[in-house]
Amino acid sequence: MFSMNQKLHDKAIEVLNKNWKDGFTVPCEGLYPFQWDWDSGFIALGWMHIDLERSFMEIKSLLKGQWSNGFIPHIIFHNPADTYFPGPEVQASHLSPFASKIPTSGITQPPVLGWVMGEIYTFAKADPRTLPFISEVYDAAYRAHQYLYTHRDPHNEGLVYICHNWEAGTDNTPVWDAIWETMDSPEYELERKDNVHIAASHRPSNREYQHYIHLIELFKSWHYDDATIAAKSPFLVQDPLFNAMLIASNEALITLGNLLNKTAEVSQLKKWNTLSKLRYEEKLYDSDLKGYVYYDLRNNRPLRHLSSSSFTALFAGIPSAERASEMVSNFQGGRFSGIDNNLLLCASFDPESEQFDPKRYWRGPIWINLNWLIYRGLQRYHQDTLADRVKKDTLHLMEKYGFYEYFDPRKEEDALLTDGYGGANFSWSAALTLDILNR
Ligand code: DGY
């Protein structure tokens, strides 16, 4: 490893060690002081390079929060902390008859678990601890998929829905703006804590938070009952990132299930996956925009915007080679690179849109986990020059600014700025840098 990379490598390890809390890793001290579902998946990929046992522990800790119906919550409140809103008392998971003993949220996040298990297995199969670990957590991962296909796909389309913007992971993407217009959320007085840590202009607005909390209040009043949520939630969306992750996780669980002789599970996973891939292609691709878009299941309409989620189908191996090259035209003299190549890859929302905001969370800034997924997707489709560019841009950001949460995609700003945006010492930025450097 070159010495600059060695320095970056050492700093990334330092961040993970600092954020390790005896069994799991917080995404960011103060700002996110608990365990988050998809963060844990990316973080486990960092730990696997430096401490395999910790990557196993990360996943086992996550599963302590799994509900008896297979559902994996997006936050596990292992520990008390008063620096985050909405905490366990607001999310009130005990209202569900299926809730775990540990308090959790009652919403989920992109289903990373199966796919992360596949990555760990591929990396560490020679280690005698690896297969026993996979075998120990396999059934829990399978049950999480069973939950999604049973309760989140009311028309048996093979595409599961999310019912809250936080389930997407891309919390305040402008894609939701059209949904908020359909809702008449109360004007709650909220004691937000995120804005104590981070400039308000870099976070979601107060009005957006009122919608987020209104959805949680509705779900609580329905005891987090899936059938009621499917029938009544004003937010019900088929998300290209969430479903790509599910497909990638199905694929990994099929491979791992074959190793473990899980015949019935493998056969069911194959059925789910065949349908999911087919419907994903048919329903979510927008040939004018050259990318996959969200579908608003409540209001029966596609939400026709490109975002970094539009390209995650690549890492799950969903599109044909022709469609993949059509999509990546967005990265070469296209919307996401800038016609004169003035953007770092990859903005989280369409830089040509009026709703693009290069500083505000998921309305434009670059996020390292999405870059990592796009990088792997481009490699899968042998788009090596572009993959190298995503890698180069990612490492540039990490070296220049450190392991921040998100970054400005404009090269002219990059020349002036000294800091990244959002939380500093952000765990998945460090973990995925380790993975990129070790690959
Ligand atoms: C937050 O609080 O911003 C989190 O992203 C919710 O999961």
Side-chain angles (χ1 to χ4, degrees), residues 122-196:
T122 306
F123 172 76
K125 55 174 164 261
D127 191 301
R129 295 168 294 175
T130 303
L131 196 55
F133 161 73
I134 299 290
S135 165
E136 187 182 339
V137 296
Y138 187 89
D139 290 347
Y142 177 79
R143 288 197 313 111
H145 289 221
Q146 199 169 39
Y147 162 82
L148 290 171
Y149 282 107
T150 308
H151 298 291
R152 298 296 192 102
D153 183 14
H155 312 303
N156 292 320
E157 289 182 86
L159 295 174
V160 302
Y161 69 69
I162 55 169
C163 55
H164 196 288
N165 57 295
W166 281 334
E167 292 201 327
T170 57
D171 298 0
N172 69 336
T173 175
V175 176
W176 318 138
D177 293 0
I179 299 182
W180 306 141
E181 279 171 19
T182 70
M183 287 172 54
D184 187 20
S185 305
E187 300 201 354
Y188 306 104
E189 291 281 337
L190 300 174
E191 277 191 50
R192 288 179 62 178
K193 303 210 170 144
D194 55 317
N195 287 344
V196 174

Side-chain angles (χ1 to χ4, degrees), residues 32 36 74-75 84-85 109 166 171 203 209 361:
Y32 307 116
W36 261 260
H74 97 300
I75 309 178
Y84 180 80
F85 172 85
Q109 258 179 344
W166 281 334
D171 298 0
R203 291 283 305 177
Y209 255 76
Y361 208 41

Side-chain angles (χ1 to χ4, degrees), residues 42 308-309 311-312 315 331 336 344-348 362 364-379 386-387 389-398 407 409 428 432 436:
F42 295 117
S308 46
S309 302
F311 308 112
T312 52
F315 100 96
F331 297 151
F336 281 77
L344 295 162
L345 290 172
C346 178
S348 50
W362 287 95
I366 296 173
W367 287 76
I368 298 316
N369 62 336
L370 264 293
N371 265 24
W372 190 92
L373 292 173
I374 291 169
Y375 162 64
R376 290 292 299 277
L378 292 168
Q379 283 185 327
L386 272 179
R389 184 153 151 221
V390 176
K391 174 177 169 179
K392 191 169 139 258
D393 288 358
T394 306
L395 292 179
H396 160 74
L397 293 168
M398 297 302 111
F407 303 87
W428 81 34
L432 294 176
I436 290 177

Side-chain angles (χ1 to χ4, degrees), residues 267-284:
S267 142
Q268 182 58 66
L269 285 159
K270 282 185 177 165
K271 279 191 205 140
W272 285 330
N273 218 29
T274 306
L275 183 62
S276 292
K277 283 173 114 166
L278 192 75
R279 290 300 285 147
Y280 192 106
E281 279 292 76
E282 283 171 4
K283 190 169 182 183
L284 302 185

Side-chain angles (χ1 to χ4, degrees), residues 15-160:
V15 168
L16 286 189
N17 276 324
K18 261 202 205 137
N19 290 345
W20 174 254
K21 298 285 166 209
D22 196 21
F24 69 97
T25 315
V26 295
C28 182
E29 200 71 67
L31 183 61
Y32 307 116
F34 309 107
Q35 185 176 28
W36 261 260
D37 176 359
W38 79 326
D39 292 73
S40 278
F42 295 117
I43 290 166
L45 296 188
W47 280 126
M48 94 187 165
H49 292 286
I50 51 177
D51 187 336
L52 194 57
E53 208 54 59
R54 282 197 179 176
S55 92
F56 298 164
M57 282 164 87
E58 188 75 41
I59 287 173
K60 288 196 228 170
S61 294
L62 174 70
L63 290 173
K64 287 188 188 157
Q66 185 172 32
W67 290 11
S68 63
N69 59 356
F71 170 85
I72 299 184
H74 97 300
I75 309 178
I76 321 294
F77 299 109
H78 294 286
N79 48 309
D82 60 5
T83 57
Y84 180 80
F85 172 85
E89 56 306 315
V90 178
Q91 312 235 11
S93 55
H94 64 272
L95 292 171
S96 165
F98 303 109
S100 53
K101 283 204 195 93
I102 296 186
T104 68
S105 64
I107 55 174
T108 189
Q109 258 179 344
V112 291
L113 177 58
W115 158 77
V116 168
M117 285 161 56
E119 292 283 310
I120 292 177
Y121 180 74
T122 306
F123 172 76
K125 55 174 164 261
D127 191 301
R129 295 168 294 175
T130 303
L131 196 55
F133 161 73
I134 299 290
S135 165
E136 187 182 339
V137 296
Y138 187 89
D139 290 347
Y142 177 79
R143 288 197 313 111
H145 289 221
Q146 199 169 39
Y147 162 82
L148 290 171
Y149 282 107
T150 308
H151 298 291
R152 298 296 192 102
D153 183 14
H155 312 303
N156 292 320
E157 289 182 86
L159 295 174
V160 302

